[in-house]
Amino acid sequence: MSGIHSKFNKGIIGWIDYRLPIFTILDDMVGTGYPTPRNLNYWWNFGSLAGLCLVIQIVTGIVLAMHYTPHVDLAFASVEHIMRDVNYGWLLRYVHANGASMFFVVVYIHIFRGLYFGSYKSPREVLWFLGIIIFLLMMATAFMGYVLPWGQMSFWGATVITNLFSAIPVVGDYIVTLLWGGFSVDNPTLNRFFSLHYLLPFAIAAVVVLHILALHQHGSNNPLGIDANGPQDKIPFHPYYTVKDLFGIAVFLIFFSALVFYAPNMLGEVDNYIEANPLVTPAHIVPEWYFLPFYAILRSIPDKLFGVLAMFGSILLLFVLPWLDTSRVRSARFRPVFKVFFYVFIADCVLLLVCGGKPPEGIWLILGRIGTAYYFIHFLILLPVIGFWERPLPLPKSISEPVLGGGKPAAAVAAPAKE
Amino acid sequence: MATSGSNGGADGVVRRDFLTIAAGAFTAVGVAAAIWPFVHQMNPSADVLALSSTEVDISKVQAGQAITVLWRGKPVFVRHRTEAEIDAARRDDTASLPDPQKDADRVKKAEWLITLGVCTHLGCVPLAFQGDYKGWFCPCHGSHYDTSGRIRKGPAPRNLEVPQYAFLNDTRVKIG
Amino acid sequence: MLRIVFATVAALAIAAPAYAAEGGPELPKLKWSFNGAFGTFDRGEVQRGFQVYKEVCAACHSMHYVSYRNLADIGFTEAEVKAIAAANEVTAGPNDDGEMFQRPALPSDRFKSPYANSKAAAAANNGKAPPDLSLMAKARNGGADYIHALLTGYEKAPADVQVPEGGNYNKYFPGHIIAMPQPIASEGQVSYEDGTKPTVDQMSRDVSAFLMWAAEPKLEARHAMGLKVIIFLVIMSFLFYGVKRRVWADLH
């Protein structure tokens, strides 16, 4: 018999699975057939949470599109129609708007988890690349989604961000005109952004499938960063991690609900409740919070082209990260020097985030420049150098018997499951 | 979930089963509750419900004429019937009707017949003054209505629906 | 590793107010019935606020996204809503002759705008159109506090400030020079039927509450649903934590 060998042979499930092995595939993906390191801690919950966020965004987005009108004269009014007249429209819109923020919170934690535990290192480089591609697609989707309500911040955000492309020598202006479909951000721009905002999430979903496929090739990394030696180091994904993920989802939804029901506009901009007006620029244009670090990098460089290059470079840099980090030890638990600089790097990202939200003048401009410089120094200088010079702590022999390595690992291994 | 990770002990199994069932039941209730907004958002919104009546000026409709007005996105026939049409409709009260109804129950003033202009078969708009009974004829699938808007022949199951309406005065009708 | 979460939360906490309030004196923080997790609108306050809007603000400011029927949400009866609507003439049509005509407004109509369009509004107000007030309480940092502060913040300009022709000095307006003359200037400008004393502060407060309702009419439904959802999720979290503990028990 060719094809996938069915693991189910009883009842309706067996009948279907014999013909279409979806249950076997599911079981191998997220079921009993997927052996997973036994020591994953709660930081590993954020992958499934990101998946949940994507589903929430797609489902609420499809429903909102049933009531939204992508036309400059009607877009703002149609959003108000959703908020005031559509049954539960306010709930759906607030979930979608805050869902974007929660999605970024989750993905940022997911990324920093990967950075801390060295999840980008061999043999998971392609898994990491796919993650960066998802991140880039998310940013494009979020940006275009923010334009749709056609408030002041939507309009001016779109104007500023599309103008970034005018920094490209020679063809820049043509590209911007192409993006706009006119000579300014206007109805054609809004229409194409709506179309793409609807399309890209499905592109993200497709890349997520590849991301999971790549993950399954070598399995999850783990807090110790060492490879599993045998079956004693692994447990089936179901029920151990399914139930742990469900618990994580329930807790995550508490935070999400608190935001949606009690502070739905906290992360938004008041100016976006003013309809777009091409004649008046708001005093202080800022992107959504999740773009602020990159916005800070853009503004800290006094040259248009180099500012744009630095901003895109700050993300594209992640593609060469597996080679910039020269250490062969994955987990920061055994890299005392890297660990310190990892926390400094987080502080730097927070600094950039804060600077991005402040007007680019005085102390904020200086801090933004320091933060930008450090961001690049971290990746381009510190990581390669630390990899060479650092003396890592002795690694445990295996996930289930870490004591042989000496030091404190016994506690470190026992802890994750209980955390 | 209940079958795996068994660690023996009758007490433990019972407790886990209870917890698992409770958690499962909670999830089911939560998912069901979460689905409702996604379904209900498709129902008419508050502004649509608020626009559910329309007023019609009938002063210019002569006997033997009919007008069609738009109400809730659907055509409504307002027909000024002649004496002959009224008589025909009343005479047929006793005929064998697929959907028996007296003409008097379908009008508020005998000379004004007001019905939805939607064939009860599959929703086409019937043509006035045509068909075997000179009421309406639906060209889509050949349903014949009489001068009271009752189905007489053809695939349609019911009479043309009479909407809620009220005469505000002799020349104005409020539909809805 | 936990520090990442703290850092992120801290960053958000810093970044969120980073958007808020640039320059100008601190807004007086008032106690509003709609604040907090259990907040609801005070019907009397919001109804009085509607009266202030109708008798003072509506002369210049539209509220295009609010319909007369919405007033039922703040405690007006159906008959009252009809009467309030019918007091306004709106343009409708075209009729069968193709002409537009005037008719009394219906509950389903939007609040009537004082000007035909924004150009007319600007022309009648020294070139600056008075903004629509439907979303005002969400479109300014500080919300209802800001509106109340603005309405009560008119004062004599300091000696070193040159107030241009057609401008007015306001302590809380960004830049301090506001085109709108003090709208609520004297006690008793409207007369309340419920016996509340119509002081300038009271009227400003009432109309601010009304504008908050107009901007966020579903606030009460949101607060009520949020409480149920969060209680439900907390219980669910405990249940799943219990299940997780049981499932993982044999590994330790």
Side-chain angles (χ1 to χ4, degrees):
Chain A
M1 190 177 103
S2 61
I4 295 164
H5 182 70
S6 175
K7 289 200 260 184
F8 298 87
N9 50 21
K10 287 212 189 82
I12 293 176
I13 288 179
W15 190 89
I16 295 173
D17 204 61
Y18 180 68
R19 288 151 181 86
L20 175 71
I22 47 170
F23 297 103
T24 300
I25 291 171
L26 270 181
D27 192 61
D28 287 344
M29 279 295 205
V30 291
T32 56
Y34 177 41
T36 316
R38 56 189 294 146
N39 61 334
L40 300 187
N41 58 30
Y42 275 107
W43 297 113
W44 262 261
N45 274 52
F46 287 87
S48 70
L49 290 179
L52 175 76
C53 287
L54 179 62
V55 171
I56 290 175
Q57 291 305 91
I58 288 180
V59 172
T60 52
I62 287 173
V63 162
L64 288 169
M66 295 181 189
H67 304 281
Y68 170 77
T69 313
H71 186 284
V72 289
D73 293 338
L74 302 170
F76 191 82
S78 71
V79 171
E80 276 312 301
H81 166 67
I82 290 169
M83 293 296 287
R84 291 163 191 273
D85 291 331
V86 172
N87 304 311
Y88 294 113
W90 59 270
L91 175 65
L92 297 166
R93 174 169 175 251
Y94 277 153
V95 167
H96 195 72
N98 288 291
S101 280
M102 293 308 283
F103 199 174
F104 275 97
V105 169
V106 165
V107 163
Y108 279 134
I109 294 175
H110 190 63
I111 292 172
F112 279 111
R113 191 269 286 149
L115 290 174
Y116 185 84
F117 293 107
S119 300
Y120 48 84
K121 293 187 188 182
S122 175
R124 296 186 181 84
E125 296 95 328
V126 173
L127 174 61
W128 176 254
F129 295 163
L130 291 166
I132 304 166
I133 291 169
I134 292 170
F135 180 51
L136 288 169
L137 287 171
M138 274 176 67
M139 298 214 291
T141 310
F143 160 65
M144 288 190 278
Y146 193 63
V147 176
L148 302 186
W150 209 242
Q152 272 288 67
M153 236 8 125
S154 299
F155 180 87
W156 291 101
T159 301
V160 168
I161 301 298
T162 47
N163 262 315
L164 293 179
F165 293 91
S166 69
I168 302 168
V170 187
V171 292
D173 287 334
Y174 295 103
I175 291 179
V176 174
T177 308
L178 183 83
L179 290 175
W180 286 343
F183 305 104
S184 65
V185 173
D186 207 338
N187 200 46
T189 326
L190 178 61
N191 268 283
R192 64 192 57 183
F193 277 17
F194 178 59
S195 171
L196 293 172
H197 182 71
Y198 206 122
L199 169 72
L200 285 187
F202 297 98
I204 293 176
V207 184
V208 166
V209 170
L210 296 180
H211 192 65
I212 293 173
L213 214 58
L215 171 71
H216 281 251
Q217 187 65 16
H218 291 280
S220 292
N221 183 26
N222 66 79
L224 296 176
I226 56 174
D227 292 327
N229 284 346
Q232 73 281 7
D233 291 344
K234 298 214 167 183
I235 49 176
F237 191 83
H238 179 76
Y240 295 102
Y241 288 111
T242 41
V243 70
K244 196 175 174 185
D245 279 346
L246 283 170
F247 169 59
I249 285 170
V251 173
F252 166 75
L253 289 178
I254 294 174
F255 288 98
F256 195 166
S257 303
L259 197 59
V260 165
F261 291 106
Y262 296 111
N265 294 308
M266 183 182 84
L267 298 172
E269 244 319 301
V270 290
D271 284 283
N272 229 27
Y273 280 110
I274 304 169
E275 192 169 1
N277 180 354
L279 300 177
V280 182
T281 307
H284 186 196
I285 298 184
V286 280
E288 290 285 82
W289 69 267
Y290 36 81
F291 292 140
L292 289 177
F294 306 104
Y295 195 55
I297 291 174
L298 169 77
R299 295 195 308 190
S300 67
I301 292 175
D303 178 89
K304 187 170 172 180
L305 177 59
F306 285 101
V308 174
L309 287 178
M311 187 182 72
F312 285 114
S314 67
I315 300 168
L316 298 179
L317 205 52
L318 296 173
F319 277 108
V320 283
L321 175 62
W323 295 278
L324 288 173
D325 185 350
T326 48
S327 171
R328 272 183 305 179
V329 175
R330 293 196 190 106
S331 174
R333 283 202 182 153
F334 306 104
R335 301 186 59 193
V337 181
F338 169 78
K339 198 180 197 168
V340 171
F341 283 98
F342 173 81
Y343 288 123
V344 176
F345 177 67
I346 288 183
D348 185 54
C349 291
V350 173
L351 172 71
L352 284 172
L353 190 145
V354 174
C355 290
K358 302 281 185 188
E361 50 201 31
I363 186 73
W364 295 112
L365 188 59
I366 296 166
L367 287 173
R369 285 184 176 157
I370 294 171
T372 301
Y374 186 82
Y375 184 97
F376 287 97
I377 288 171
H378 175 83
F379 283 108
L380 295 174
I381 299 173
L382 291 177
L383 281 186
V385 170
I386 292 169
F388 280 120
W389 288 92
E390 181 183 47
R391 276 197 54 196
L393 301 177
L395 292 177
K397 285 273 186 298
S398 84
I399 292 172
S400 51
E401 297 170 79
V403 196
L404 297 172
K408 59 166 188 175
V413 177
K418 271 194 262 163
E419 245 168 39
Chain B
M1 249 171 246
T3 53
S4 51
S6 73
N7 56 339
D11 190 42
V13 171
V14 168
R15 201 176 133 212
R16 177 165 72 235
D17 281 350
F18 169 74
L19 266 179
T20 309
I21 291 165
F26 249 72
T27 311
V29 169
V31 169
I35 286 174
W36 174 239
F38 292 91
V39 175
H40 191 43
Q41 56 87 18
M42 291 206 263
N43 275 321
S45 57
D47 56 327
V48 172
L49 292 174
L51 283 175
S52 53
S53 70
T54 186
E55 283 183 26
V56 187
D57 179 5
I58 55 172
S59 59
K60 292 190 185 115
V61 186
Q62 305 297 324
Q65 290 184 336
I67 58 167
T68 307
V69 295
L70 195 68
W71 174 65
R72 286 185 172 176
K74 291 184 284 199
V76 172
F77 296 143
V78 180
R79 180 154 167 173
H80 195 165
R81 299 193 293 184
T82 61
E83 286 301 320
E85 286 171 337
I86 298 170
D87 288 345
R90 286 186 179 159
R91 209 169 35 242
D92 286 350
D93 279 352
T94 52
S96 120
L97 299 167
D99 182 10
Q101 214 178 4
K102 286 200 175 4
D103 182 60
D105 296 338
R106 295 179 53 78
V107 292
K108 290 192 173 160
K109 292 183 180 178
E111 63 270 35
W112 292 102
L113 176 67
I114 298 176
T115 69
L116 285 191
V118 179
C119 180
T120 58
H121 181 221
L122 290 171
C124 297
V125 180
L127 305 168
F129 308 112
Q130 296 192 21
D132 294 357
Y133 300 86
K134 296 294 167 215
W136 283 270
F137 172 70
C138 181
C140 290
H141 306 96
S143 294
H144 299 257
Y145 297 89
D146 66 13
T147 53
S148 188
R150 289 175 299 206
I151 179 65
R152 301 300 292 270
K153 207 169 107 183
R158 278 173 291 107
N159 302 333
L160 291 179
E161 192 186 329
V162 177
Q164 270 208 338
Y165 66 92
F167 286 91
L168 299 175
N169 53 42
D170 282 348
T171 60
R172 290 193 79 80
V173 188
K174 183 181 171 195
I175 299 170
Chain C
M1 203 51 185
L2 261 178
R3 273 178 262 181
I4 299 178
V5 170
F6 291 138
T8 313
V9 171
L12 293 181
I14 297 164
Y19 296 157
E22 56 241 38
E26 187 97 353
L27 300 173
K29 286 255 182 280
L30 273 60
K31 264 179 87 88
W32 298 103
S33 65
F34 47 78
N35 281 348
F38 302 99
T40 55
F41 292 111
D42 176 337
R43 294 292 183 278
E45 184 178 50
V46 175
Q47 288 191 14
R48 290 195 302 273
F50 168 64
Q51 191 187 346
V52 175
Y53 167 74
K54 191 175 66 172
E55 294 177 16
V56 182
C57 322
C60 303
H61 290 278
S62 61
M63 285 189 79
H64 186 65
Y65 296 109
V66 184
S67 301
Y68 293 109
R69 65 187 156 84
N70 296 136
L71 292 171
D73 296 351
I74 54 171
F76 287 104
T77 64
E78 198 179 329
E80 286 169 332
V81 171
K82 274 191 176 151
I84 291 167
N88 298 277
E89 289 270 303
V90 294
T91 306
N95 62 15
D96 294 341
D97 300 324
E99 309 284 339
M100 303 302 278
F101 58 92
Q102 295 294 114
R103 63 158 170 78
L106 296 169
S108 57
D109 286 316
R110 304 284 184 89
F111 275 20
K112 193 193 176 186
S113 298
Y115 302 104
N117 51 56
S118 64
K119 289 256 159 66
N125 290 281
N126 291 324
K128 288 199 91 176
D132 187 271
L133 295 184
S134 318
L135 284 161
M136 190 50 78
K138 283 200 290 192
R140 296 290 184 276
N141 286 312
D145 282 333
Y146 171 77
I147 296 168
H148 171 264
L150 183 87
L151 291 174
T152 54
Y154 286 86
E155 53 186 35
K156 231 175 107 63
D160 58 332
V161 175
Q162 187 74 31
V163 179
E165 183 82 22
N168 303 276
Y169 187 85
N170 190 303
K171 191 160 48 151
Y172 297 106
F173 189 71
H176 299 307
I177 308 299
I178 183 168
M180 173 171 72
Q182 186 171 10
I184 300 175
S186 59
E187 188 163 323
Q189 199 167 336
V190 300
S191 45
Y192 287 142
E193 279 169 26
D194 65 357
T196 308
K197 197 167 173 226
T199 61
V200 170
D201 184 75
Q202 184 67 43
M203 288 185 283
S204 306
R205 189 184 273 264
D206 291 344
V207 81
S208 304
F210 168 71
L211 291 178
M212 188 66 221
W213 165 77
E216 188 73 7
K218 306 292 181 185
L219 175 138
E220 293 181 352
R222 174 158 62 77
H223 284 177
M225 187 190 287
L227 187 68
K228 287 182 223 156
V229 168
I230 287 176
I231 290 174
F232 182 90
L233 287 171
V234 168
I235 297 172
M236 203 164 107
S237 301
F238 277 109
L239 283 174
F240 272 116
Y241 186 66
V243 177
K244 191 249 161 194
R245 289 270 301 221
R246 298 298 302 176
V247 169
W248 281 70
D250 59 343
L251 284 185
H252 302 310

